[in-house]
Amino acid sequence: MDGLSDEKLVSASRAGNKGAYAVLIRRHYRHVLLVCLGVLGNIHDAEDIAQDALLKGFTDIRKLRRSSKFGPWLTKIARNLCINHLRRKKRATEIYAQTQSAPESPATDTVPLQRAIAKLPEDTRMPVVMYFLGKKPVKGIAEEMSISPSGVYTKLRKGLHLLHDMLSEHGDTI
Amino acid sequence: MSAPCENMKNTLTDFLLGTLDQQQSDVLTAHITSCASCADYLKALENQKANLNRLSQTIDAEMPARIDRALKALNRSAIEQKSDTVSIWRTIMKSRITKLATAAAIILVAMVLIYSINGTVDITTPAFAIDDVINAMDNAEWMHMKFETKLENVEDRNLKQAFQGQPEIWQALHPSRHIIILGNGRIEFREVEAGKKSIYDPNINTITVTLEQSSGETSYPNMGKMLLTQIAELEKAGAAVERTDIVYEGKPAASVSIDHDLNGGRLEMSLVVDPHTHLPLKMKMRQTFSDGEIVTLAGACEYPSSGPADIYEAGAPRDAKIEIIDKRPDAEFLEAIKPFNVARDGLPSTGISISFSDAGKGSGGASILYADKPKKRMERRSGPQSKPATEDFAQLLMWAQGEAAESVTIDLYDGEYLHHAQRDYEGKWSVREKKYWRTYYLAGLFDAGWLRLPDGKVVANDYATENNLVCIEISSKAEYRQGKFFQPAERILYYLDPAHDYMVVRREQFKHRIPPYNNPVDPNTLDFDVETTPSEPYEIVNVVEFGRTHTGHEYPKKTEETGTKWRNYGAGWRLEPYTKTEHLSISLDTELPDPIFDANTLIPENAETRAPGEKTEMAKARDEAIAVIDSLPEWPEPEEIVNQYWKARKAKAYEKMAILWPGSSLWNEGPLKEPVEYLFGKANPAVGIENTIIVPYATKSYYKERGTYNLTMWLTNKESKKGRYYIYSGN
């Protein structure tokens, strides 16, 4: 089943075939996770929302009219869920103030970097995550973000400078 | 660390991103050898990139575990795929059956109203719940209702006849007996457990008694259970329910009424319930349909301790003629089949099968069948017209479910009812009203390899004797409907090997399609049937072997069928050989997809569903085109119509094509094949089909080579007010 096209797998998933959808999950999970990370900046939240997006994708798969566009469709679901998540989080923060901090990753040498990525502005974070963590080509990122490749490079430059500044304050870079 | 040179900051990141050309790199290298700040900044950026790479590797390393968690979440989840809720209620209410004074209609009224009493009714009458009413009805020995009926704006003759006078219903549940006495004198007496149905037809003063093998269970439609689900939908749709205390025949009673807009019409119902016995006392239903028809039923309920013992007591005259149709298998049959049933016992009976048939010339189709025998459920989907890419089961499964299908039909048998949904060429879905179909699952499961039992007789023949097989014959007579040939006489022979769970099915049809369908042996009889014909079968349709191994694997995977078919290419009917290939693959004991066996999944979410009575786009386009044809001052002869059509097609003149072949505009605007030149023959009336003309034609090269026409265009003038012909079919 692994060798089948997205279209065929989507068709089978429409009929309720979880096995076929599992193949789609394996195929698209990494990208969805990175998109969520790009929007949310927190790997735990990203994983939760990616999982929600994948389940929602299965529930709603009959809404997908062009099965060849499964990847972009799923990405869109993930983005929307991320945005909802941020809104909810913002509301919760407004109501309860920030009495509790979010659970953090176990202390590893990449933790300061993860924190710094989380603090990047979203339009900068997305290309940084896609390029450096997702190893996506600039052209692909440009298409996904609907901006020009030179726009992506500009954001990557900005991202690198900002990360450097944040990590320098933290004393981690040098 | 001091800040890098402002003018070099972006160059440093560009270097890291690898976007500098050689010259720019050389300039930067020269700069950092002399500028410590920029050198430090570059080093910091490189460290940062290394950290990002490490983070990327960490994320990738954790990816399988994350995917695994997502998959587990998928498997754990009981999520159902969303679908448009098919309003079964709507489907039912569209049905003519609900307009008839049958048990279905009456119980329907009762159940809707009983359901609405869910919870307590009022403070002045003792409170009771829905279960109380259902139990009370279930425990009543007999229920008897006599109805006053009123039809307004109804043209349907059958409906009018059925509603003459006062239709009556008797019902007892233990054992299950249902008696319907219609106003036109027709009486139906069904004894469900006994498998006996008696129908008195006053027109011919005859009682037809049909005896069937009892399934040993009460398989009369469980209207109550079914309706509870549907009524929940009605409530969700916002039906206003009013509960009041009233005095009925001098006693306190509870009255419940519903007044609800329904499918462009209106449904008004009221029910009076005895607060002590919990039995419905009176019910009334008035339904206004969107087409203006109004049906009113009103009646009082009685609960006598006894009811009619037979059809005579129900009112059939004693001097009525009796015809008995005995469909029960005889003792010999049951004895012969016993070892086979024993051998089959314990074999997997849940499965998916896909069959694909290719009859050549682009014709063919596929069907996928999910069967759950213990639960008597099966779903069949059929549709894709193109060839599958592979014979591999998993891929065939996906293909058969896929979007390749131009049109798709789904039949779902839920153990009692057959639901049917169809997606047309415009991608719209429609749902046909469901039918009560007691034996459908048997026919369906037969397709998956199970044996169809009823109506068979054990026969002895050489093949069976030589191979030590049990041979069962099931035969059916030819069917004619409204004077037209519908189904040929047929004989199916099953050869069974009880020891090896092996079966050969030989299907023979006694076709005789040429009008006037007379029996060539005895011209006074219409067609011939299996029992009386002295001749060999006209056509052996197919011979298929089914076998199942001890592991549950079924074979063959591919069968080929050859035979002859009558075809008419305009120059008269003639027999032509054909070959049909069928790929069959069965997966047994497999997990069936979640949405299977749920009538609500018949229509996928977001699919547009045509409103009841709404014409298809194709039909609308056809009507418009015919109106244009009738409005023109002149109209060509059939041969010229066909000629002009192909000329228009060559010139891609779609508008003209859409008139000459009404409705074709919707599917004609695709890419056209390389135009070829055609020659047209003389138009001939289609034999046996009124108002229809066939124009034979062929490509120039074909005609030059063979001197005959191999293609046809079919024209009719049925819908033209001026009797003008237009194309409606062709190849």
Side-chain angles (χ1 to χ4, degrees):
Chain A
M1 205 182 272
D2 284 359
L4 294 178
S5 66
D6 273 11
E7 285 101 315
K8 286 181 178 171
L9 292 166
V10 166
S11 298
S13 305
R14 278 196 181 123
N17 188 330
K18 282 186 179 173
Y21 194 74
V23 178
L24 286 170
I25 288 186
R26 282 194 204 98
R27 202 171 281 178
H28 293 277
Y29 184 85
R30 189 172 185 273
H31 182 68
V32 171
L33 180 76
L34 289 168
V35 167
C36 294
L37 184 60
V39 179
L40 302 170
N42 174 317
I43 191 73
H44 299 293
D45 286 353
E47 184 177 346
D48 285 351
I49 302 299
Q51 192 164 301
D52 288 352
L54 291 161
L55 295 184
K56 188 169 168 53
F58 185 66
T59 317
D60 289 359
I61 199 152
R62 288 184 180 149
K63 287 182 182 171
L64 171 62
R65 304 306 291 168
R66 292 170 66 191
S67 40
S68 59
K69 297 285 177 192
F70 175 77
W73 176 75
L74 190 64
T75 308
K76 200 175 167 190
I77 291 179
R79 272 176 188 276
N80 289 340
L81 288 179
C82 287
I83 290 162
N84 288 345
H85 178 77
L86 288 175
R87 280 190 193 134
R88 273 200 310 274
K89 210 171 171 182
K90 195 181 166 200
R91 269 205 302 278
T93 313
E94 280 164 3
I95 295 167
Y96 301 109
Q98 216 162 359
T99 51
Q100 270 186 309
S101 57
E104 301 213 332
S105 307
T108 63
D109 56 353
T110 58
V111 170
L113 180 60
Q114 285 187 47
R115 281 190 202 143
I117 291 171
K119 285 181 189 166
L120 287 172
E122 195 205 316
D123 68 330
T124 309
R125 184 166 58 229
M126 185 61 83
V128 167
V129 167
M130 289 290 172
Y131 185 82
F132 289 108
L133 305 185
K135 307 293 178 201
K136 299 250 174 201
V138 167
K139 201 180 162 199
I141 301 170
E143 277 169 13
E144 184 136 327
M145 293 185 71
S146 304
I147 55 174
S148 66
S150 62
V152 175
Y153 278 118
T154 308
K155 286 175 189 299
L156 287 173
R157 272 190 219 120
K158 187 183 166 189
L160 285 171
H161 292 312
L162 285 171
L163 284 176
H164 175 266
D165 293 349
M166 284 187 273
L167 294 169
S168 304
E169 280 169 25
H170 193 264
D172 277 298
T173 351
I174 305 288
Chain B
M1 188 183 75
S2 55
C5 304
E6 198 55 38
N7 62 337
M8 293 306 288
K9 231 176 147 181
N10 283 345
T11 313
L12 287 165
T13 49
D14 286 350
F15 179 73
L16 199 73
L17 293 168
T19 57
L20 295 183
D21 59 25
Q22 192 55 49
Q23 197 186 345
Q24 289 167 319
S25 296
D26 292 346
V27 171
L28 179 70
T29 314
H31 176 75
I32 55 176
T33 51
S34 59
C35 177
S37 302
C38 284
D40 286 349
Y41 194 77
L42 182 61
K43 196 179 166 194
L45 287 179
E46 280 172 342
N47 266 346
Q48 193 171 297
K49 191 182 173 187
N51 277 339
L52 283 165
N53 282 340
R54 261 206 303 281
L55 180 58
S56 171
Q57 284 163 6
T58 311
I59 290 173
D60 278 347
E62 289 169 358
M63 204 61 81
R66 291 187 210 278
I67 292 174
D68 196 42
R69 285 196 284 273
L71 294 176
K72 278 182 181 153
L74 176 73
N75 286 332
R76 267 199 315 271
S77 66
I79 47 175
E80 291 296 329
Q81 287 169 326
K82 285 181 187 168
S83 63
D84 280 349
T85 307
V86 180
S87 173
I88 301 171
W89 174 258
R90 179 188 65 206
T91 317
I92 285 184
M93 294 316 287
K94 273 197 306 189
S95 159
R96 286 270 169 207
I97 295 166
T98 54
K99 294 184 184 179
L100 293 173
T102 61
I106 292 153
I107 298 172
L108 185 149
V109 177
M111 296 311 302
V112 167
L113 294 163
I114 290 164
Y115 185 78
S116 69
I117 309 171
N118 201 353
T120 60
V121 169
D122 201 82
I123 44 167
T124 52
T125 53
F128 54 87
I130 178 172
D131 286 348
D132 296 331
V133 181
I134 291 174
N135 286 340
M137 286 181 79
D138 199 39
N139 290 329
E141 299 224 20
W142 280 91
M143 182 177 88
H144 175 226
M145 296 185 71
K146 210 166 188 177
F147 283 89
E148 296 293 338
T149 62
K150 191 177 173 190
L151 296 181
E152 293 163 75
N153 309 323
V154 172
E155 296 298 324
D156 190 299
R157 201 160 53 93
N158 293 332
L159 195 59
K160 280 180 173 175
Q161 278 186 359
F163 273 77
Q164 283 170 4
Q166 290 183 308
E168 228 176 300
I169 172 176
W170 288 84
Q171 183 175 291
L173 296 175
H174 309 291
S176 189
R177 284 148 293 165
H178 300 266
I179 305 157
I180 298 164
I181 306 164
L182 294 181
N184 57 5
R186 182 183 165 93
I187 301 169
E188 293 183 17
F189 196 114
R190 289 167 198 264
E191 294 160 81
V192 179
E193 286 88 343
K196 186 178 172 187
K197 177 176 74 179
S198 310
I199 297 177
Y200 171 66
D201 183 344
N203 296 324
I204 49 173
N205 194 33
T206 303
I207 298 169
T208 309
V209 181
T210 309
L211 301 168
E212 287 175 336
Q213 186 187 12
S214 171
S215 59
E217 59 193 64
T218 305
S219 52
Y220 200 80
N222 185 349
M223 295 297 291
K225 192 175 150 197
M226 183 190 82
L227 284 166
L228 284 174
T229 319
Q230 293 149 6
I231 292 155
E233 277 191 44
L234 187 66
E235 275 207 326
K236 264 192 259 166
V241 180
E242 197 183 317
R243 298 170 171 84
T244 46
D245 283 344
I246 58 159
V247 175
Y248 179 72
E249 294 187 342
K251 292 179 188 169
S255 163
V256 184
S257 59
I258 291 179
D259 189 350
H260 184 55
D261 288 330
L262 194 71
N263 303 323
R266 192 157 196 79
L267 177 69
E268 298 155 73
M269 290 190 278
S270 65
L271 175 77
V272 175
V273 179
D274 185 317
H276 299 287
T277 64
H278 303 151
L279 288 166
L281 299 171
K282 185 184 174 184
M283 51 184 81
K284 184 178 176 181
M285 177 181 92
R286 177 184 155 94
Q287 189 173 3
T288 309
F289 291 85
S290 55
D291 55 8
E293 292 184 352
I294 303 174
V295 178
T296 310
L297 287 174
C301 320
E302 299 171 340
Y303 300 91
S305 57
S306 64
D310 53 37
I311 198 163
Y312 298 113
E313 287 191 17
R318 298 266 171 194
D319 65 351
K321 234 177 10 182
I322 294 180
E323 268 187 25
I324 294 178
I325 302 170
D326 193 345
K327 291 186 174 180
R328 291 172 302 182
D330 58 25
E332 188 193 359
F333 174 88
L334 291 174
E335 194 54 37
I337 201 73
K338 207 172 168 183
F340 184 76
N341 282 339
V342 170
R344 292 197 59 81
D345 224 19
L347 284 170
S349 54
T350 299
I352 301 174
S353 88
I354 298 176
S355 61
F356 170 76
S357 70
D358 175 14
K361 291 189 179 177
S363 65
S367 67
I368 174 164
L369 188 137
Y370 304 88
D372 184 346
K373 193 182 174 192
K375 293 180 183 166
K376 292 183 189 170
R377 301 181 303 178
M378 75 112 197
E379 176 173 326
R380 181 209 307 269
R381 289 166 182 258
S382 56
Q385 295 291 315
S386 54
K387 281 189 180 183
T390 170
E391 289 172 30
D392 170 66
F393 177 74
Q395 295 202 20
L396 262 175
L397 174 65
M398 285 182 205
W399 167 82
Q401 293 168 323
E403 288 184 327
E406 289 168 351
S407 68
V408 175
T409 57
I410 302 175
D411 290 307
L412 169 66
Y413 176 72
D414 66 8
E416 281 184 318
Y417 289 88
L418 177 69
H419 306 262
H420 175 91
Q422 188 160 12
R423 188 176 80 193
D424 63 18
Y425 290 90
E426 296 157 25
K428 289 187 176 179
W429 284 89
S430 54
V431 182
R432 202 188 287 162
E433 67 189 61
K434 70 178 181 182
K435 289 178 186 169
Y436 175 59
W437 207 305
R438 189 177 164 195
T439 55
Y440 190 79
Y441 73 94
L442 288 170
L445 292 177
F446 164 71
D447 287 348
W450 282 278
L451 178 66
R452 185 162 43 191
L453 281 175
D455 307 342
K457 64 176 180 186
V458 179
V459 293
N461 61 29
D462 293 346
Y463 183 77
T465 313
E466 278 169 26
N467 296 287
N468 198 23
L469 304 172
V470 174
C471 180
I472 295 164
E473 180 189 279
I474 293 175
S475 57
S476 58
K477 292 185 179 184
E479 243 186 89
Y480 294 87
R481 292 188 187 171
Q482 295 174 333
K484 287 182 183 170
F485 180 89
F486 185 76
Q487 176 77 31
E490 190 175 78
R491 171 164 60 200
I492 307 176
L493 297 166
Y494 299 89
Y495 294 93
L496 310 173
D497 179 352
H500 298 97
D501 194 26
Y502 165 85
M503 178 158 75
V504 178
V505 182
R506 180 187 170 98
R507 190 162 150 240
E508 303 167 341
Q509 283 190 344
F510 296 73
K511 280 188 181 176
H512 201 62
R513 278 186 174 275
I514 307 167
Y517 314 118
N518 282 342
N519 184 337
V521 180
D522 177 4
N524 295 319
T525 24
L526 200 61
D527 201 50
F528 44 82
D529 65 47
V530 180
E531 302 293 334
T532 57
T533 181
S535 69
E536 282 298 302
Y538 192 77
E539 179 182 25
I540 294 168
V541 178
N542 56 13
V543 180
V544 182
E545 290 182 48
F546 290 90
R548 189 167 286 151
T549 66
H550 67 284
T551 56
H553 180 72
E554 184 136 337
Y555 60 89
K557 281 196 168 178
K558 187 173 172 182
T559 59
E560 276 193 358
E561 171 191 329
T562 52
T564 49
K565 268 187 179 167
W566 282 100
R567 291 218 163 110
N568 187 338
Y569 295 124
W573 289 93
R574 62 169 185 252
L575 267 178
E576 282 202 346
Y578 77 95
T579 305
K580 186 176 160 192
T581 311
E582 189 163 280
H583 305 272
L584 177 76
S585 184
I586 292 202
S587 167
L588 289 160
D589 231 6
T590 182
E591 192 182 336
L592 300 178
D594 286 344
I596 299 298
F597 310 126
D598 178 358
N600 288 334
T601 63
L602 283 181
I603 299 182
E605 174 113 343
N606 282 358
E608 284 181 74
T609 307
R610 194 172 295 109
E614 187 189 334
K615 285 194 171 181
T616 61
E617 291 301 315
M618 190 82 88
K620 284 183 204 162
R622 194 179 59 235
D623 289 352
E624 281 169 23
I626 294 168
V628 171
I629 291 169
D630 283 344
S631 71
L632 295 170
E634 285 183 1
W635 186 243
E637 292 299 311
E639 292 93 337
E640 183 55 22
I641 292 170
V642 176
N643 190 8
Q644 283 191 18
Y645 174 80
W646 283 107
K647 277 185 181 165
R649 196 168 160 86
K650 193 174 174 183
K652 298 186 180 179
Y654 298 115
E655 283 184 17
K656 193 167 184 185
M657 287 155 68
I659 303 296
L660 295 160
W661 186 333
S664 64
S665 55
L666 292 172
W667 47 265
N668 253 334
E669 291 191 34
L672 298 181
K673 287 177 192 165
E674 193 61 29
V676 286
E677 284 206 39
Y678 292 106
L679 290 175
F680 301 92
K682 198 174 173 304
N684 290 308
V687 181
I689 309 173
E690 286 175 10
N691 304 92
T692 304
I693 276 177
I694 301 166
V695 176
Y697 71 107
T699 61
K700 211 171 178 178
S701 57
Y702 184 95
Y703 190 82
K704 203 175 160 188
E705 195 182 311
R706 309 188 190 193
T708 55
Y709 301 104
N710 64 332
L711 302 167
T712 50
M713 284 293 222
W714 293 59
L715 294 88
T716 183
N717 64 358
K718 278 179 191 163
E719 288 174 55
S720 162
K721 286 174 187 159
K722 294 188 177 173
R724 290 175 167 177
Y725 280 93
Y726 49 87
I727 306 168
Y728 79 94
S729 177
N731 55 16

